[in-house]
Amino acid sequence: MFNTTDTVLINLIEVDDAAPMAGALFKRAFNDQIPDFPKHFILTATNEQGQALTLGYVHFTQHHNMYLGGGMCVNSRALRQLPQFLRAELTAQGGVAFYMLSAAVKKLNDCDAVFGYVGHKGAYKIDLAVGFEQTEHQHLIVYWKTELDQTQKQNIIHIAHEFGPF
């Protein structure tokens, strides 16, 4: 789809309805329908002709003063359609998942923390590289967005843990 001479723009976009751009990817990854509530972030690659590829998707649910992240998936089929130099550049920047999650977390500015519930070792390594920290609860990780004292941190971790797997 993309030529080696194409100028390609990699961009993280937030959309209200992710189904048209990422529904099939989510279905392949999780064998389920993509969530129909906010927040949806999609990493795209667009060439000079306006052709766009969905490289990845991640979802965040607002809960109290935090976001619960999940549903992250990478479109390896689309990635193979990019010119080799661009794939190498994305890899040098940590890969699609790292690039996408880093950018998405930076856009979530109306919260104290972003949580993930991670069981996949590869995803866990990426999350830690982005800046997430392990909590005392198995699979529950946190990315702090604001300065909080230890009591405040424990309270928000407790709320996220009480939510259960997400």
Side-chain angles (χ1 to χ4, degrees), residues 17-146:
D17 180 6
M21 294 179 71
L25 171 62
F26 192 88
K27 181 75 169 172
R28 276 195 313 271
F30 297 103
N31 197 30
D32 202 357
Q33 298 298 315
I34 200 163
D36 62 355
F37 53 91
K39 283 189 173 274
H40 307 279
F41 291 99
I42 300 173
L43 188 67
T44 63
T46 307
N47 68 9
E48 299 162 337
Q49 294 76 36
Q51 297 170 308
L53 294 171
T54 295
L55 300 178
Y57 169 80
V58 65
H59 181 264
F60 296 92
T61 303
Q62 191 162 26
H63 182 65
H64 296 280
N65 57 339
M66 70 187 83
Y67 280 99
L68 309 174
M72 186 168 60
C73 43
V74 173
N75 189 347
S76 58
R77 295 175 187 173
L79 191 58
R80 287 191 295 269
Q81 295 181 46
L82 295 178
Q84 176 60 36
F85 75 91
L86 190 53
R87 289 194 309 258
E89 189 177 307
L90 280 168
T91 299
Q93 294 178 35
V96 169
F98 176 86
Y99 185 97
M100 178 175 57
L101 186 59
S102 296
V105 167
K106 288 176 185 164
K107 291 180 180 258
L108 299 172
N109 293 319
D110 58 344
C111 64
D112 290 329
V114 179
F115 285 88
Y117 192 88
V118 183
H120 185 274
K121 288 181 183 180
Y124 181 74
K125 286 176 71 174
I126 290 166
D127 292 341
L128 292 180
V130 166
F132 282 80
E133 303 169 10
Q134 181 63 50
T135 69
E136 64 270 19
H137 304 287
Q138 186 177 15
H139 305 297
L140 187 65
I141 58 174
V142 61
Y143 184 102
W144 298 110
K145 296 289 291 182
T146 60

